[in-house]
Amino acid sequence: MKAAFLIASAVATLFAGAAALAASQEPIQPIAPAKVRNPAMVELGKKLFFEPRLSRSGFISCNSCHNLSMGGSDNLKTSIGHNWQKGPINSPTVLNATLNIAQFWDGRAKDLKEQAGGPIANPGEMAFTHELAVDVLKSIPQYTSEFRQVFPNGKVDMANITQAIAAFEETLVTPNARFDKWLKGDRKALTAQEVRGYQTFKNAGCVACHNGPAVGGNSFQKFGIVEAYKTASTAQGRMAVTGKDADRFNFKVPTLRNVELTYPYFHDGEAATLHQAVDTMARLQLGRTFSDGELNDVVAFLKTLTGEQPNFKLPILPPSSDSTPRPHPFND
Amino acid sequence: MKAAFLIASAVATLFAGAAALAASQEPIQPIAPAKVRNPAMVELGKKLFFEPRLSRSGFISCNSCHNLSMGGSDNLKTSIGHNWQKGPINSPTVLNATLNIAQFWDGRAKDLKEQAGGPIANPGEMAFTHELAVDVLKSIPQYTSEFRQVFPNGKVDMANITQAIAAFEETLVTPNARFDKWLKGDRKALTAQEVRGYQTFKNAGCVACHNGPAVGGNSFQKFGIVEAYKTASTAQGRMAVTGKDADRFNFKVPTLRNVELTYPYFHDGEAATLHQAVDTMARLQLGRTFSDGELNDVVAFLKTLTGEQPNFKLPILPPSSDSTPRPHPFND
């Protein structure tokens, strides 16, 4: 029994080793599960992610536009902000965002912590101020107690608020997609069509930008290389950050992880379906026109990138105290 | 061992019996845990409760205004509807709503199933139509499959949609509040002040309307009996349903379960704190002016009515298909 087990283990290790070698030769790598270093901070950040009292209206939370029930996005062309303002750009998924080279489509935030403060104070999004957000949380005993437990300096301030939100967001990775299982050696994890789609995805050159564990997210690229992209959106991309004309229409390459869930596509949300998005990208970026068969194959492959979705209990938020500043949804 | 156990059991039964007897003599009874008869229907209803694609915008779900992270309410004076419309009335909590005599402040829906269809088609709330809501769900393979599994007739229609939502909402009871533990005989579950508050609550006459397991929810009463209630709200209460002038300003008595979480109070949301609400009710309904001590005691008692909050995993919603009608948040 024991010897047989040892042999079986050794064989399994060999196979796993071979599969790992094969995976390392692919331009896409499996996503590693989240390593939670500070569970208490993650729990606090989860509450804050769902906390509408971080908005002027008391109605909009991070989860409003990065809805974790819907692929970490809102599935709208552009988001709805305070007073039903129409956002300027498609809300990117928060899933696997920790793998991004930088945050926002134009990369203007270097990391999740820097990103998290943006929407709170953006007049077109949550329309609050950092000072008022801090005042609200400071007035809620359960929050002040949690901040004291989680942070060495115990402060309720934006540095700690955004650090907690970022710590939660770092857990929002989606491992064990069927494609990852295939990469790790489970050849039955994909159908023949899905494998064919992956080959087309590689051979056509999509992997030039969509590579790495996030299948994107790790570079800025011009949208419309072979052919210009026509859009009513006024977003200028990376130029808004660098000021360089050469960066006009350079956007962060979005991750394709969970892309089945994060429709509509592109920074302006104008591609409603994966077929449209793949067809447009092939033509504009690669100068290729995919046949219907190729399109179907690539779309089938892309749907294998859906990984394990957020798996946690709905957070229960602590009640306001009598001294908590009340929300002002209607400017009253 | 066995005999000792039997004796201990008998004694425990005796005590439990005595406590049950004591509880039955109180005007408030403990809340019973939910009995889930059809788990698959509850799971489907949970998804639909969190489903923003039941709204015209694709942004508003049942959970937007009956937020299960926040006591089943939105903690706003009145709710925010499609296109940021200001709602006419305070959003009542969905927690323990299954115990209500009828639904809505004016009781215009006889049960949760009848209620659930209202906001979807209300132009000031989710602003959709029942036909379009059904079309959306029908276009999503995972939903059609779930409806087939859950319902004998397998149909995706409003009858089944609202039945599933109601089945989920029936599970949203909040047992085991500290007050319930006290009712069941655990005398250490309340402080002396909280017991004093309960005595005042009974002696002053609050229990005349706020009684039963839900501490309310089981009758319609005139708001402003001893003294008129002044409000800018145009809500007429029960008269809107019966057409009888005598029902003007008759509202469903709200449950006081979890009242610590469901601020602000009254149908117009004009009482920001429990102190204000209790003070107003005592004066207008009972002709009493509570002392500061009495107010503090009653508020302390009311906070013992917070029960076990919803305890489930965030539902993951199935993605739209290529044929799913897209949302129209901006009338575009």
Side-chain angles (χ1 to χ4, degrees):
Chain A
M1 269 295 270
K2 203 167 177 182
F5 172 75
L6 282 174
I7 291 166
S9 292
V11 171
T13 306
L14 271 174
F15 269 104
L21 188 66
S24 71
Q25 291 165 341
E26 296 293 344
I28 299 171
Q29 290 85 43
I31 283 198
K35 285 179 193 152
V36 176
R37 285 166 300 179
N38 189 333
M41 191 186 290
V42 168
E43 284 306 307
L44 174 58
K46 187 189 296 172
K47 291 196 186 92
L48 296 174
F49 189 87
F50 282 82
E51 183 52 85
R53 285 170 292 187
L54 292 178
S55 70
R56 177 175 167 82
S57 63
F59 189 64
I60 299 179
S61 70
C62 304
N63 194 62
S64 297
C65 301
H66 304 286
N67 193 326
L68 296 176
S69 298
M70 309 197 304
S73 69
D74 56 12
N75 295 147
L76 301 176
K77 284 187 185 180
T78 64
S79 294
I80 294 171
H82 182 80
N83 206 21
W84 214 263
Q85 289 173 82
K86 186 175 180 171
I89 209 156
N90 181 260
S91 170
T93 179
V94 68
L95 298 180
N96 306 303
T98 185
L99 301 173
N100 285 340
I101 187 174
Q103 302 302 326
F104 296 113
W105 280 94
D106 57 12
R108 66 182 181 276
K110 72 172 190 294
D111 55 24
L112 289 169
K113 180 167 159 41
E114 188 173 312
Q115 188 279 336
I120 294 173
N122 187 324
E125 300 185 33
M126 296 164 84
F128 220 25
T129 70
H130 288 174
E131 292 69 23
L132 288 169
V134 167
D135 284 350
V136 164
L137 297 187
K138 271 186 178 168
S139 73
I140 299 171
Q142 194 180 318
Y143 273 132
T144 57
S145 159
E146 274 196 62
F147 275 82
R148 271 198 304 273
Q149 284 162 34
V150 164
F151 292 102
N153 71 9
K155 284 188 186 168
V156 180
D157 59 15
M158 280 309 292
N160 288 345
I161 291 169
T162 53
Q163 191 176 333
I165 293 174
F168 169 61
E169 291 175 338
E170 284 165 12
T171 69
L172 300 174
V173 293
T174 63
N176 298 321
R178 285 198 291 121
F179 185 70
D180 287 354
K181 291 176 182 167
W182 184 84
L183 277 178
K184 289 176 180 174
D186 176 1
R187 296 292 134 172
K188 289 180 185 163
L190 298 196
T191 66
Q193 182 187 34
E194 290 160 350
V195 173
R196 213 162 54 226
Y198 177 48
Q199 296 303 335
T200 303
F201 187 83
K202 284 201 290 190
N203 296 339
C206 309
V207 286
C209 301
H210 291 288
N211 54 46
V215 201
N218 52 3
S219 68
F220 297 95
Q221 301 290 341
K222 180 85 74 184
F223 189 10
I225 291 177
V226 178
E227 191 184 318
Y229 181 66
K230 288 176 185 140
T231 176
S233 166
T234 58
Q236 293 295 321
R238 191 79 187 133
M239 192 185 80
V241 180
T242 64
K244 293 180 188 165
D245 200 60
D247 285 332
R248 189 189 304 273
F249 245 52
N250 269 8
F251 291 97
K252 188 177 65 189
V253 176
T255 174
L256 296 185
R257 290 283 180 182
N258 309 294
V259 70
E260 176 186 14
L261 311 177
T262 60
Y263 54 89
Y265 306 104
F266 303 152
H267 69 281
D268 56 5
E270 285 296 333
T273 69
L274 267 179
H275 278 86
Q276 287 172 37
V278 172
D279 176 62
T280 299
M281 290 306 284
R283 286 189 293 101
L284 271 55
Q285 305 300 99
L286 303 167
R288 288 217 23 182
T289 303
F290 280 149
S291 68
D292 281 353
E294 286 172 321
L295 271 180
N296 289 337
D297 291 351
V298 172
V299 168
F301 154 64
L302 291 174
K303 289 184 178 180
T304 71
L305 295 171
T306 304
E308 289 173 2
Q309 295 303 295
N311 181 16
F312 57 78
K313 285 188 177 166
L314 184 76
I316 302 300
L317 304 178
S320 293
S321 71
D322 287 0
S323 66
T324 303
R326 264 38 187 177
H328 291 280
F330 300 108
N331 298 322
D332 46 5
Chain B
M1 269 294 272
K2 204 169 180 183
F5 171 75
L6 283 174
I7 292 167
S9 291
V11 171
T13 307
L14 272 174
F15 268 104
L21 189 66
S24 72
Q25 292 165 338
E26 296 292 343
I28 300 172
Q29 288 85 43
I31 284 199
K35 285 179 194 152
V36 176
R37 287 167 299 180
N38 189 332
M41 192 186 292
V42 169
E43 285 306 308
L44 173 58
K46 187 189 297 173
K47 290 195 186 92
L48 297 175
F49 189 88
F50 282 82
E51 184 51 86
R53 284 168 295 187
L54 293 178
S55 69
R56 177 174 166 80
S57 63
F59 189 64
I60 299 180
S61 70
C62 305
N63 194 64
S64 297
C65 301
H66 303 286
N67 192 327
L68 296 175
S69 298
M70 309 198 304
S73 68
D74 56 12
N75 294 146
L76 302 176
K77 284 188 186 181
T78 64
S79 295
I80 296 170
H82 182 81
N83 206 21
W84 213 262
Q85 289 172 85
K86 185 176 180 170
I89 210 154
N90 180 262
S91 171
T93 179
V94 69
L95 299 180
N96 305 302
T98 186
L99 301 173
N100 286 341
I101 186 174
Q103 302 302 326
F104 296 114
W105 280 94
D106 57 12
R108 67 182 180 274
K110 72 173 190 294
D111 55 23
L112 289 169
K113 180 169 161 37
E114 189 173 312
Q115 188 279 335
I120 293 173
N122 186 323
E125 301 185 33
M126 294 163 86
F128 219 24
T129 70
H130 288 174
E131 292 70 24
L132 288 169
V134 167
D135 285 350
V136 164
L137 297 187
K138 271 186 176 167
S139 74
I140 299 171
Q142 195 180 318
Y143 273 131
T144 57
S145 160
E146 274 195 63
F147 275 81
R148 271 198 305 273
Q149 286 163 33
V150 164
F151 292 101
N153 71 9
K155 283 188 186 168
V156 180
D157 60 15
M158 278 310 291
N160 288 345
I161 291 169
T162 54
Q163 191 176 333
I165 293 174
F168 168 61
E169 291 175 338
E170 284 165 13
T171 69
L172 299 175
V173 293
T174 62
N176 298 320
R178 284 198 291 120
F179 185 70
D180 286 354
K181 291 177 182 168
W182 184 85
L183 277 178
K184 290 177 180 172
D186 177 2
R187 296 292 132 174
K188 288 181 186 163
L190 297 195
T191 66
Q193 181 186 34
E194 290 160 351
V195 173
R196 212 163 55 226
Y198 176 48
Q199 296 303 334
T200 302
F201 186 83
K202 283 202 290 189
N203 296 339
C206 309
V207 288
C209 301
H210 291 287
N211 54 47
V215 200
N218 51 3
S219 68
F220 297 95
Q221 301 291 342
K222 180 85 75 184
F223 189 12
I225 291 176
V226 179
E227 190 183 319
Y229 180 67
K230 289 178 185 137
T231 176
S233 166
T234 57
Q236 293 295 321
R238 191 82 186 130
M239 192 184 80
V241 179
T242 65
K244 295 181 189 164
D245 201 58
D247 284 332
R248 189 189 303 276
F249 244 53
N250 270 8
F251 290 96
K252 189 178 63 189
V253 176
T255 175
L256 295 185
R257 291 282 178 182
N258 311 294
V259 71
E260 176 185 16
L261 311 177
T262 60
Y263 54 88
Y265 306 104
F266 303 153
H267 69 280
D268 57 4
E270 286 296 332
T273 68
L274 267 179
H275 278 85
Q276 288 171 37
V278 173
D279 177 60
T280 299
M281 290 306 285
R283 285 188 292 103
L284 270 54
Q285 304 300 99
L286 303 167
R288 288 213 29 177
T289 304
F290 280 150
S291 68
D292 281 353
E294 285 172 321
L295 272 179
N296 289 337
D297 290 352
V298 172
V299 168
F301 154 64
L302 291 174
K303 290 186 177 177
T304 71
L305 295 170
T306 304
E308 289 174 0
Q309 295 303 296
N311 183 15
F312 57 77
K313 286 188 177 167
L314 184 77
I316 302 299
L317 304 178
S320 293
S321 71
D322 287 0
S323 67
T324 302
R326 264 37 188 177
H328 292 280
F330 300 109
N331 299 321
D332 47 6

